């Protein structure tokens, strides 16, 4: 039986930091309000020239270095993003070229905040069915380019960044289970209304910006994290106590805390970086994972539950054992 395991991880954040105090100078908000309602203190924002591909490229290189693999080893590239560089080619292909990887499949997955985990699920399936042996899974986003910086209801929430993992074929299970879902019923609750097919109208009030029904998204996100965690654990005939670390999509500290409470999981077993990164959509889970692995506290052979929720709605989970073999990352 062939399994997939995480062999390396890397991430990248733009150097430019925008604090809540910076936002106080440009809109009617306060550091106190933002911290209280979201837990966010600051976010990294891409400057001119920094793109989804340029950030994803650096994260990918760091993940490859940490796995000890080169361009010739990579036989699949999947990028989760809602903010591609161009309409086409896929940003995964742009990164592929810059990495010097030749010939393997490379494509984007568009599942909003669930993009990285959707990509991880796909790459896991490729490896388990012997369609790939070493896959690069990236989440990279420039959400600042679809953020309405005049709208205090959304502008305070988002940031830019990228994270990546190298998945490698293994005799022992790293990834224990994945679950992947969507329900298009909720299209209107979280969306950017413009696009290629419906048309772009930059003069239209609001522009091509993220719009959301914050309260409804909040409730649905909390319920979904609870459901998918229980579904994943039950599928493995396990128990929530088996999870050493819960690594949820970093949307908002209140969502993370409410989900953890519902799951009866103490916050000291939950990875939260939303205070420093804000919501980076598809990049948030690999970014959080890289911080928690790089600086501690995640230890080798611990069991992690990753869970994402995003526009669509889409949601996805991955239960995995980190660093199973002797050639462990980092
Ligand atoms: N600063 C100050 N006041 C604000 C701000 C702000 N940045 N934004 C809104 N307010 C005001 C509102 O105008 C409102 O004022 P009013 O009472 O005078 O009308 C008041 O604060 C309360 O507004 P609510 O929208 O009810 O505030 P709420 O407590 O629901 O918090 C928030 C809003 C943070 C957006 C919350 O609904 C939320 O976290 N939703 C989840 C959405 C989310 O995280 N989305 C991310 C994308 S989805 C994903 O990643 C899964």
């Amino acid at each position: 039986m062939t399994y997939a395991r995480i062999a390396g991880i890397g991430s990248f954040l733009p150097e430019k930091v925008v604090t809540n105090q910076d936002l106080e100078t440009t809109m009617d908000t306060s550091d106190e309000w933002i911290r209280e309602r979201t837990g966010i203190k600051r976010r990294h924002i891409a400057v001119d020239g920094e793109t989804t591909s340029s950030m994803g490229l650096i994260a990918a290189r760091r993940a490859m270095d940490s796995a000890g693999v080169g361009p010739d080893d990579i036989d699949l590239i999947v990028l989760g993003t809602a903010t591609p560089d161009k309409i086409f080619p896929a940003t995964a292909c742009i990164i592929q070229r810059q990495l010097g990887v030749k010939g393997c499949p490379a494509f984007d997955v568009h599942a909003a905040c669930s993009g990285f985990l959707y990509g991880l699920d796909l790459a896991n399936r490729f490896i388990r069915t012997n369609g790939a042996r070493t896959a690069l899974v990236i989440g990279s986003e420039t959400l600042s380019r679809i953020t309405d910086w005049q709208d205090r209801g959304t502008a305070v929430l988002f940031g830019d960044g990228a994270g990546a993992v190298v998945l490698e074929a293994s005799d022992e299970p790293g990834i224990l289970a994945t679950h992947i879902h969507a329900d298009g019923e909720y299209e209107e609750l979280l969306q950017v209304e413009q696009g290629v097919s419906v048309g772009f109208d930059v003069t239209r009030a609001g522009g091509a910006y993220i719009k959301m029904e914050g309260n409804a998204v909040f409730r649905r996100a909390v319920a979904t994290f609870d459901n998918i965690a229980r579904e994943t654990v039950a599928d493995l005939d396990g128990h929530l106590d088996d999870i050493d670390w819960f690594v949820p999509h970093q949307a908002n500290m209140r969502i993370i805390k409410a989900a953890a409470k519902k799951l009866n999981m103490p916050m000291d077993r939950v990875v939260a970086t939303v205070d420093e990164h804000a919501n980076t959509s598809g990049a948030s889970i690999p970014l959080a994972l890289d911080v928690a692995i790089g600086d501690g506290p995640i230890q080798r052979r611990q069991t992690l539950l990753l869970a994402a929720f995003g526009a669509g709605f889409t949601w996805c989970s991955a239960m995995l054992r980190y660093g199973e073999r002797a050639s462990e990352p980092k």
Side-chain angles (χ1 to χ4, degrees), residues 29 33 37 113 152 156 190 212 214-215 249 251-252 279 309:
T29 190
W33 191 97
R37 305 288 176 123
C113 302
R152 67 178 184 170
V156 302
L190 183 55
M212 68 172 186
N215 288 307
H249 166 51
N252 177 317
N279 181 348
F309 175 80

Side-chain angles (χ1 to χ4, degrees), residues 41-69:
K41 297 180 196 155
R42 58 184 69 85
R43 68 285 294 141
H44 292 253
I45 298 293
V47 296
D48 284 352
E50 275 181 318
T51 60
T52 294
S53 68
S54 73
M55 296 191 301
L57 176 69
I58 297 171
R61 283 198 173 125
R62 289 177 177 166
M64 288 167 66
D65 286 349
S66 123
V69 300

Side-chain angles (χ1 to χ4, degrees), residues 21 60 130 184 304-305 328:
Q21 287 82 0
N130 299 314
L304 318 183
L305 176 67
E328 286 142 345

Side-chain angles (χ1 to χ4, degrees), residues 48-160:
D48 284 352
E50 275 181 318
T51 60
T52 294
S53 68
S54 73
M55 296 191 301
L57 176 69
I58 297 171
R61 283 198 173 125
R62 289 177 177 166
M64 288 167 66
D65 286 349
S66 123
V69 300
D72 293 344
D73 299 309
I74 302 293
D75 50 19
L76 173 68
I77 300 175
V78 189
L79 168 68
T81 190
T83 48
D85 283 15
K86 302 177 179 180
I87 291 163
F88 59 76
T91 305
C93 295
I94 297 172
I95 293 173
Q96 181 193 39
R97 178 191 190 182
Q98 290 165 348
L99 284 172
V101 176
K102 297 273 181 202
C104 76
F107 54 89
D108 295 353
V109 174
H110 190 340
C113 302
S114 306
F116 172 78
L117 276 198
Y118 261 54
L120 196 78
D121 174 280
L122 288 174
N124 180 46
R125 290 172 201 263
F126 265 84
I127 289 175
R128 295 205 61 172
T129 54
N130 299 314
R133 286 201 64 78
T134 309
L136 194 50
V137 184
I138 309 165
S140 184
E141 301 279 15
T142 40
L143 287 182
S144 59
R145 310 254 155 88
I146 52 167
T147 298
D148 179 356
W149 291 100
Q150 310 297 315
D151 174 17
R152 67 178 184 170
T154 53
V156 302
L157 300 174
F158 300 106
D160 300 328

Side-chain angles (χ1 to χ4, degrees), residues 145-151 154 191-194 201-211:
R145 310 254 155 88
I146 52 167
T147 298
D148 179 356
W149 291 100
Q150 310 297 315
D151 174 17
T154 53
Q191 60 177 328
V192 177
E193 287 175 299
Q194 301 192 30
D201 177 2
V202 287
T203 64
R204 200 165 74 193
Y209 297 131
I210 300 166
K211 301 219 171 95

